[in-house]
C-alpha cells in the first residue's frame, strides 16, 4: 500500500535532520573520539635513533579494551611520536608548515547537492597533520594524524573531481585515513607535496621483531643471552593465538595497483594478518597442499609479503608445543616450498639461517633437522620463480624428493628426466643431448612447449618447474578433447642437414620435423609430390602394404589445407546500403525468415562436409596406390627418400614464421609472407611459392630488433623492413642464436629508446644446445650483424 504524501514528507525531513545532526552536530564529538582512539592506540612501531634504553620485552599483540592492561611502553611511544599541543591560539603555532581551510569527508556521509562537507582549519607540522574547529585563538584541536615514514598520500585524480566537483587529497595513517577536499587543484597539489615532504623526512621505523632480530644477530655467540631473549620475548616463539599486527613494517593505505589475475587484495597489513590465520589452519588440515599453494600465490602476487611469511614461519617453528608433530611438520613443509620459490631479503635470510642452525643443533637427526638441511641447500640455488609450484611439485617437496619430467622426442621413445625446482631447460637439453648421442652434431637442439594451438621453444634459463605449473593451469582451462600440453625435444636450428647419418637418431628427428613442416603447409610443392610423401610416411610406419595395417588419419599424412582449398568459397551477399532495407532484414532475421536462413546454412555446411569426405577418400585412395608401389622398401630407405624430396625445396632447414610485411606505398595494406630464418640467410617467401621473393645474407643485415610487442624490424643495408607478427620474441631469439653460432659479435647500435640484447659468447655456449637465454618480454631491443 503506498504511503500518503504527508508521511513521505515527514520521513524525508527526519532523514534530512539526521544527516544535518550527523554532519554538524556530531562532527566535533566524532573527532574527539578519533583523537582519543589515536592516543590510546598501541603503536608497535618505533623510529630509528630514538633516545633512551632499548629493552624489548613484548608479549604477543592482543586486543584489549581495558586501560589497565596497556603497557607503559605505549605511552612512551606516543610521547615520542606525537607533539603535545596545548589549548593555545592556532595562529601562534610556530611549527606549522602549511595551514588552511579544507573540507573533510564525514564518515558514512552521503554526498548530496544540498549538503556540503564542513570546512576545518588544517595545520601541517613536522610531526602530524592536525585539524581544528576554526582558525581563531583558543580553537579546539579536533584530531591529529601522526606522520611517520610508513604514511602515504595520494595525489588528486580527475575521476573524483568529475564525480564530486572537488580535488581530493588522501592521507593514510596507521589507524585513520583523512580524505580532504578542495575546489582548487593547485591548493590540493600544494598540500600533497608538503605532506609527502614531511613523510620523506621521517626516519625509518622498526617493529619489535626487527629489533629482536638484530639482538639475536649481535648475541649469536652467547647461548645464555640468546636463551634469555627467546624466553623473555614471546613474539619470537610459537603462538596459538591470532596475530593482530604484522611482524614487519608495511606502508599504510590501500593498494594502488591490484595484483594480476582474478584475485583481489586489501592492504598489505591486512593481508599479512590473514596469511598468519591461514598458517594456523595448516596445523589441522588433512590435505594442506591447496592451502600451501594459496599462500605461495599470495606471496607471488604481493612480493613485499615474502619476508613477512618467512618471519611468521620462523616464529611458528620456534619452540612449538609438539616438535616434530603433524602441525609442526606442515610449517616446515611450507617453509621448504617457500625456500624453493622465493629468496628473502638479506636481513631475513641471515635470521633464517640462524634459525636453521639452531634447529639442527637442538634436534639432530630429526625430521625438522632434515628439512632445515634441505632448505639451506635450496636457498643457495633459488633465484626467483615466474609461477608458484604446482600441486605435484608441492607434494614432491613435502617429501624432499625430485620430480620426474617426461620429454617427448619425435621418432624416439619419451625420456624421463629427474628435475628439481631449480633445474633449467638448458640442463635438461644438455642431458638429453648426451643421453641420445647427439654431442657431435653441429645442429642446435632445444625443448619446446607443444599444445594443439601453438609450439614455442623454451628459453635455456627457464625453470622447467614453472613450465610444468603452466601445463597444470592450462589443463584445467582446456576442454577434455584438447590434447594436453607437453615438452618435446627437437631441432632448434639447422647448421648442416646434408651430413646427418641415416642410421642415427638425429636423422629420425630430422625426418619427423620435415613431416611436421609438410603437414603445416610449409613445404610448397605439387599435390602429386604430397601424395608421394604420404605414401613414404606410411611405408616408414607400417612397412609394406597390408589390409590389416593400421591406417592413420588423413590429416596425419596429408596437409589438411590442400583439401579445404578444393571446396568452393562461400558466397557473400553484398552489403545493404539502404537504411530501410537493413531494418527489414533485421526484422526478418528474428522471425521465420531467420530460421529458414539458419536451416540453409546448416544444409550448406553438411554438403561441404560431405564434399570434404569425398575429397579425402579419393586422396587416401591415391596415397594407397602409391604406397603399394613401394613394396620391399625398408624403413630407413623410406625415411631417406622422404627427406630427399623435402630437401629439394630451397628453404628446407629454415624456420618459417607467418608475418605481415608493412607495404611502403601509401594506402596499401600489409602483405602476408613467410619469413624464413636459416643458418646462412634470411628469406622472404610468398605462401605456397617455392622460390623466395628476396633473400638477405647476414652480411647485408645491419641490425634487427623488436619495435614493440607485435612489430619486428629488420634493417637491410639502406632500408628497414617492418613485420607484424605475434612471434617477435621467437624471431629475435633465432637470429641471435645463428649469430652466436656463427661466431659473430653483437656490438650495440646507437639508437634512441633501444636496448641491445645480451650478446652471447660463442665459446661459452654449450655445443648442440639452443643458446637463447629466454624470451624478451615485449621490450624494445636491437641487435646488429657484422660479417
Amino acid at each position: 500500500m503506498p504511503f500518503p504524501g504527508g508521511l513521505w514528507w515527514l520521513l524525508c525531513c527526519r532523514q534530512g535532520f539526521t544527516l544535518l545532526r550527523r554532519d554538524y552536530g556530531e562532527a566535533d564529538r566524532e573527532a574527539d573520539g578519533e583523537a582519543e582512539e589515536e592516543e590510546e592506540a598501541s603503536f608497535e612501531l618505533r623510529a630509528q635513533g630514538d633516545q633512551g634504553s632499548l629493552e624489548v620485552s613484548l608479549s604477543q599483540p592482543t586486543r584489549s579494551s581495558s586501560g589497565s592492561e596497556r603497557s607503559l611502553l605505549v605511552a612512551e611511544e606516543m610521547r615520542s611520536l606525537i607533539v603535545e599541543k596545548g589549548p593555545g591560539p592556532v595562529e601562534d603555532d610556530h611549527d606549522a608548515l602549511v595551514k588552511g581551510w579544507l573540507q573533510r569527508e564525514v564518515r558514512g556521509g552521503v554526498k548530496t547537492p544540498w549538503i556540503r562537507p564542513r570546512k576545518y582549519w588544517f595545520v601541517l607540522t613536522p610531526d602530524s597533520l592536525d585539524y581544528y574547529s576554526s582558525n581563531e585563538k583558543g580553537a579546539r584541536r579536533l584530531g591529529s594524524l601522526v606522520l611517520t615514514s610508513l604514511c602515504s598520500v595520494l595525489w588528486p585524480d580527475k575521476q573524483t573531481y568529475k564525480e564530486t566537483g572537488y580535488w581530493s587529497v588522501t592521507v593514510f595513517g596507521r589507524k585513520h585515513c583523512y580524505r580532504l577536499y578542495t575546489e582548487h587543484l593547485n591548493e590540493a597539489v600544494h598540500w600533497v607535496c608538503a605532506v609527502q615532504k614531511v613523510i620523506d623526512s621521517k626516519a625509518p621505523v622498526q617493529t619489535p621483531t626487527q629489533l629482536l632480530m638484530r639482538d639475536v644477530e649481535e648475541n649469536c655467540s652467547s647461548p645464555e643471552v640468546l636463551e634469555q631473549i627467546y624466553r623473555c620475548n614471546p613474539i619470537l616463539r610459537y603462538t596459538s593465538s591470532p596475530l593482530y599486527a604484522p611482524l614487519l613494517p608495511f606502508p599504510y593505505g590501500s593498494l594502488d595497483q591490484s595484483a594480476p589475475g582474478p584475485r583481489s587484495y586489501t592492504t598489505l597489513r591486512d593481508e599479512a594478518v590473514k596469511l598468519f590465520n591461514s598458517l594456523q589452519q595448516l596445523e589441522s588440515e588433512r590435505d594442506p597442499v591447496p592451502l600451501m599453494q594459496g599462500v605461495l600465490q599470495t606471496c607471488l602476487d604481493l612480493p613485499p609479503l615474502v619476508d613477512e611469511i618467512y618471519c611468521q614461519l620462523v616464529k611458528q617453528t620456534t619452540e612449538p608445543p609438539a616438535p616434530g608433530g603433524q602441525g609442526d611438520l606442515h610449517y616446515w613443509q611450507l617453509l621448504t616450498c617457500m625456500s624453493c620459490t622465493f629468496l628473502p631479503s638479506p636481513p631475513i635470510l641471515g635470521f633464517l639461517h640462524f634459525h636453521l642452525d639452531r634447529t639442527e643443533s637442538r634436534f639432530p637427526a630429526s625430521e625438522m633437522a632434515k628439512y632445515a638441511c634441505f632448505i639451506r641447500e635450496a636457498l643457495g640455488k633459488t633465484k626467483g620463480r615466474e609461477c608458484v609450484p604446482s600441486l605435484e611439485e608441492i607434494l614432491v617437496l613435502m617429501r624432499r624428493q625430485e620430480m620426474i619430467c617426461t620429454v617427448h622426442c619425435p621418432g624416439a621413445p619419451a625420456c624421463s628426466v629427474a628435475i628439481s625446482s631449480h633445474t633449467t631447460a638448458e640442463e635438461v637439453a644438455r642431458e638429453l643431448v648426451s643421453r641420445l648421442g647427439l654431442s657431435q652434431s653441429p645442429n642446435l637442439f632445444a625443448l619446446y612447449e607443444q599444445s594443439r594451438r601453438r609450439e614455442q621453444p623454451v628459453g635455456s634459463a627457464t625453470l622447467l618447474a614453472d613450465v610444468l605449473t603452466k601445463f597444470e593451469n592450462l589443463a584445467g582451462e582446456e576442454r577434455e578433447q584438447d590434447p594436453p600440453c607437453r615438452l618435446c625435444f627437437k631441432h632448434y636450428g639447422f647448421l648442416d642437414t646434408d651430413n646427418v647419418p641415416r642410421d642415427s637418431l638425429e636423422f629420425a628427428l630430422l625426418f619427423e620435423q620435415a613431416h611436421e613442416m609438410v603437414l603445416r603447409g610449409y613445404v610448397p610443392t605439387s599435390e602429386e609430390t604430397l601424395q608421394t610423401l604420404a605414401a613414404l610416411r606410411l611405408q616408414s610406419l607400417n612397412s609394406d602394404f597390408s589390409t590389416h595395417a593400421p591406417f592413420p588419419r588423413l590429416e596425419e599424412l596429408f596437409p589438411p589445407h590442400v583439401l579445404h582449398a578444393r571446396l568452393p568459397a562461400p558466397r557473400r551477399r553484398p552489403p545493404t546500403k539502404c537504411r530501410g532495407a537493413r531494418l527489414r532484414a533485421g526484422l526478418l532475421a528474428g522471425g521465420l525468415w531467420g530460421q529458414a536462413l539458419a536451416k540453409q546454412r546448416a544444409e550448406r555446411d553438411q554438403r561441404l562436409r560431405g564434399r570434404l569426405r569425398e575429397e579425402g577418400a579419393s586422396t587416401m585412395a591415391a596415397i594407397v596406390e602409391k604406397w603399394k608401389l613401394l613394396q620391399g622398401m625398408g624403413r630407413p630407405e623410406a625415411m631417406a627418400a622422404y627427406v630427399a624430396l623435402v630437401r629439394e625445396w630451397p628453404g628446407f632447414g629454415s624456420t618459417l614464421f607467418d608475418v605481415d610485411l608493412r607495404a611502403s606505398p601509401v594506402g596499401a595494406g600489409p602483405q602476408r609472407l613467410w619469413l624464413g630464418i636459416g643458418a646462412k640467410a634470411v628469406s622472404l617467401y610468398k605462401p605456397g611459392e617455392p622460390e623466395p621473393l628476396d633473400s638477405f645474407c647476414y652480411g647485408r643485415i645491419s641490425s634487427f630488433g623488436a619495435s614493440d610487442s607485435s612489430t619486428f624490424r629488420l634493417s637491410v643495408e639502406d632500408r628497414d623492413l617492418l613485420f607484424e607478427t605475434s612471434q617477435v620474441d621467437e624471431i629475435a631469439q633465432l637470429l641471435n642464436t645463428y649469430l652466436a653460432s656463427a661466431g659473430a659479435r653483437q656490438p650495440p647500435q646507437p639508437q634512441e629508446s633501444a636496448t641491445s640484447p645480451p650478446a652471447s659468447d660463442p665459446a661459452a655456449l654449450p655445443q648442440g644446445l639452443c643458446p637463447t637465454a629466454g624470451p624478451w618480454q615485449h621490450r624494445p631491443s636491437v641487435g646488429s650483424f657484422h660479417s
Side-chain angles (χ1 to χ4, degrees), residues 380-569:
K381 302 176 183 178
T382 301
K383 297 181 180 179
R385 297 277 297 270
E386 295 181 4
C387 305
V388 299
S390 61
L391 299 178
E392 179 185 358
E393 183 182 355
I394 294 177
L395 288 173
V396 169
L397 291 176
M398 292 172 63
R399 299 190 294 265
R400 303 187 301 275
Q401 298 175 352
E402 292 184 330
M403 293 182 292
I404 302 298
C405 177
T406 302
V407 182
H408 298 268
C409 302
C415 299
S416 297
V417 183
I419 64 172
S420 66
S421 302
H422 320 284
T423 304
T424 62
E426 178 183 346
E427 296 173 351
V428 173
R430 187 193 302 274
E431 180 178 348
L432 291 178
V433 165
S434 176
R435 186 186 300 183
L436 300 177
L438 302 173
S439 302
Q440 303 301 322
S441 173
N443 298 315
L444 304 176
F445 301 88
L447 296 181
Y448 282 77
E449 299 178 22
Q450 281 189 345
S451 64
R452 185 177 66 89
R453 298 180 179 89
R454 190 178 181 187
E455 176 184 272
Q456 62 180 3
V458 182
S460 59
T462 303
L463 298 178
L464 285 188
D466 287 340
V467 178
L468 297 181
T469 301
K470 295 178 183 178
F471 289 172
E472 181 181 88
N473 297 335
L474 292 175
E477 299 175 359
E478 294 180 351
R479 297 173 295 181
E480 297 181 358
Q481 59 268 25
D482 292 339
C485 299
R486 66 177 190 175
L487 282 171
C488 186
F489 178 77
K490 299 172 50 179
H491 280 97
Y492 180 74
F494 294 98
L495 300 179
D496 184 7
T497 60
D498 299 330
N499 300 318
V500 178
R502 295 184 179 181
D503 56 347
S504 64
L505 178 61
E506 183 181 4
F507 192 83
L509 297 177
L510 181 63
F511 167 70
E512 293 295 335
Q513 288 193 239
H515 183 60
E516 288 183 8
M517 293 181 61
V518 171
L519 294 183
R520 294 179 181 179
Y522 285 155
V523 179
T525 185
S526 63
E527 186 172 345
E528 185 76 15
T529 304
L530 292 176
Q531 295 177 1
T532 303
L533 292 173
L536 291 171
R537 176 70 175 180
L538 284 173
Q539 185 70 17
S540 66
L541 293 175
N542 301 326
S543 187
D544 294 339
F545 170 78
S546 173
T547 56
H548 302 288
F551 278 81
R553 295 180 301 175
L554 181 60
E555 54 266 25
E556 299 177 1
L557 300 172
F558 193 81
H561 73 278
V562 177
L563 297 180
H564 288 277
R566 300 177 185 176
L567 302 180

Side-chain angles (χ1 to χ4, degrees), residues 58 134 297 371 377 410 441 447 477 499 568 703 743 747:
L58 302 177
S134 68
Q297 185 64 50
Y371 279 112
E377 295 179 358
S441 173
L447 296 181
E477 299 175 359
N499 300 318
S703 65

Side-chain angles (χ1 to χ4, degrees), residues 232-299:
C232 298
N233 295 279
I235 198 173
L236 292 177
R237 306 194 305 265
Y238 170 90
T239 179
S240 58
S241 58
L243 194 69
Y244 295 110
L247 302 179
L248 300 178
F250 291 104
Y252 308 134
S254 59
L255 298 176
D256 296 339
Q257 296 180 355
S258 59
R263 293 169 172 261
S264 59
Y265 297 98
T266 56
T267 63
L268 291 175
R269 299 173 59 85
D270 293 341
E271 292 299 330
V273 174
K274 291 179 183 178
L275 284 177
F276 187 80
N277 297 334
S278 301
L279 296 186
Q280 291 181 321
Q281 297 178 16
L282 285 176
E283 301 182 33
S284 57
E285 283 289 335
R286 292 186 177 181
D287 183 15
V289 176
L291 187 57
M292 289 182 180
Q293 193 179 46
V295 172
L296 296 173
Q297 185 64 50
T298 302
C299 292

Side-chain angles (χ1 to χ4, degrees), residues 115-180:
I115 297 182
R116 296 169 59 86
R118 183 177 177 182
K119 288 187 176 182
Y120 297 93
W121 181 257
F122 280 83
V123 178
L124 176 65
T125 68
D127 297 306
S128 62
L129 177 63
D130 310 320
Y131 69 101
Y132 300 82
S133 58
S134 68
N135 62 341
E136 300 176 355
K137 293 184 178 181
R140 190 159 50 96
R141 181 164 61 96
L142 302 179
S144 179
L145 183 66
V146 179
L147 297 178
T148 65
S149 61
L150 298 181
C151 296
S152 60
V153 57
L154 295 185
W155 282 73
D157 60 292
K158 292 184 178 180
Q159 185 63 29
T160 304
Y161 179 75
K162 292 179 180 179
E163 295 176 356
T164 63
Y166 296 94
W167 296 99
S168 64
V169 177
T170 307
V171 184
F172 292 100
R174 179 180 179 273
K175 299 283 292 183
H176 304 292
C177 169
Y178 284 2
R179 292 182 174 87
L180 314 177

Side-chain angles (χ1 to χ4, degrees), residues 313-327:
L313 289 173
V314 170
K315 169 184 171 63
Q316 292 302 93
T317 52
T318 300
E319 300 183 10
Q326 179 181 358

